[in-house]
Amino acid sequence: MWIGIVSLFPEMFRAVMQYGLVSRALAAGHLDIRLANPRDFAADKHRTVDDAPYGGGPGQVMMAEPLAQAAESLAARTHTAPRRIYLTPEGRPLNQQVVEELVVCDSLILIAGHYEGIDERLRTNACDDEVSIGDYVLSGGELPAMVLVDALARRIPGVLGNAESLAHESFTAGRLEGAHYTRPRLWRGETVPETLLSGDHAAVESWRARSAFKRTYERRPELFKGRPLDAHETTFIEDLQKGGDHA
Ligand code: 6GU
């Protein structure tokens, strides 16, 4: 997957590009990330990229032309027409479904805005999509762009080693993950659930399913909406309501 990013602070992206999963995806050639700074496309010697809003009011607005040129310089470096995404709190909320939808794109351009926003004409003419990472306001689109890059990278085929870590994971199956434990067996007086030490694979699987179900039921019951419960899950709920959970 090819991702171009338009940002006034391209150095911020080192944070994701030099560490962890994204850096591995880059090194293995599963992912290619290119950056362009709209300041390099400013028309004046002060390299101005923002101006006062027409009609007055506080704050500054990012000018359309430097952003458009930065995005176009990136698009010229890829072979497929990239889907252009503006990161904004007014965008559609990012969730795993949106990630799955975007990861099938060959190329993306992510546009990170600053100040009070970007000129509306860029949004309507040079963006295909708008994405938000939640109902709170950040000072710029860089962190949201990094969030999206990370979520995408781990869904690119070949990036995650262990297929199981995907299959069992939160939201892939429409639920949260359950509890995990590792050594030592006794930590500060607290032990590990017996079933996990039993070596009984069927019992372990069942324990994990219950643990995941319990967590989802207690914290995010709305995730079950639109998905009928199976017989096991119905029994889990009855157990939980009786206070007799085992996970
Ligand atoms: Cl995508 N941008 C900004 N500036 N703030 C946000 C956001 C995006 N998503 C949530 N808050």
Side-chain angles (χ1 to χ4, degrees):
M1 178 172 220
W2 183 97
I3 302 178
I5 301 171
V6 175
S7 166
L8 287 174
F9 304 116
E11 296 77 18
M12 284 179 74
F13 290 86
R14 288 185 210 279
V16 278
M17 292 175 66
Q18 293 185 345
Y19 304 94
L21 176 122
V22 174
S23 84
R24 275 191 283 124
L26 290 166
H30 295 299
L31 180 61
D32 188 4
I33 296 179
R34 304 286 152 168
L35 291 143
N37 189 339
R39 216 171 274 290
D40 295 335
F41 299 88
D44 64 327
K45 73 168 193 287
H46 302 295
R47 309 220 299 157
T48 306
V49 292
D50 63 309
D51 207 337
Y54 276 119
Q60 292 284 93
V61 176
M62 287 183 80
M63 298 158 67
E65 188 58 21
L67 285 169
Q69 285 190 26
E72 284 155 9
S73 78
L74 289 168
R77 297 201 240 163
T78 181
H79 298 294
T80 54
R83 185 176 176 105
R84 299 159 301 179
I85 303 171
Y86 174 46
L87 283 312
T88 168
E90 293 116 55
R92 55 190 182 121
L94 183 63
N95 57 31
Q96 195 62 37
Q97 197 182 321
V98 172
V99 172
E100 304 302 327
E101 176 197 320
L102 295 178
V103 79
V104 302
C105 297
D106 287 322
S107 58
L108 298 176
I109 287 182
L110 308 183
I111 299 169
H114 267 268
Y115 313 111
E116 300 309 303
I118 68 176
D119 191 298
E120 185 68 16
R121 293 165 294 182
L122 191 93
R123 287 168 82 155
T124 50
N125 295 293
C127 296
D128 307 300
D129 200 355
E130 298 192 345
V131 168
S132 162
I133 64 161
D135 290 339
Y136 43 86
V137 180
L138 300 170
S139 60
E142 280 78 12
L143 290 168
M146 288 186 233
V147 166
L148 184 52
V149 164
D150 187 282
L152 288 166
R154 55 185 301 295
R155 292 298 296 123
I156 298 172
V159 168
L160 274 191
N162 185 357
E164 189 156 12
S165 70
L166 257 187
H168 278 259
E169 198 179 356
S170 302
F171 296 109
T172 304
R175 67 175 61 174
L176 306 183
E177 280 209 56
H180 302 288
Y181 297 88
T182 187
R183 286 184 286 192
R185 186 170 171 161
L186 185 66
W187 180 73
R188 300 192 180 183
E190 201 177 333
T191 186
V192 170
E194 272 310 313
T195 309
L196 298 181
L197 309 169
S198 69
D200 178 342
H201 290 299
V204 167
E205 273 315 298
S206 163
W207 186 93
R208 287 190 174 141
R210 291 176 91 94
S211 176
F213 186 86
K214 176 172 188 265
R215 195 158 277 185
T216 311
Y217 178 75
E218 288 172 349
R219 299 182 183 189
R220 300 290 305 279
E222 79 279 10
L223 292 179
F224 293 123
K225 248 194 343 209
R227 192 179 65 86
L229 300 180
D230 66 24
H232 290 297
E233 292 169 337
T234 309
T235 315
F236 291 166
I237 287 196
E238 286 163 6
D239 283 0
L240 286 171
Q241 283 166 347
K242 284 186 232 145
D245 63 275
H246 308 290

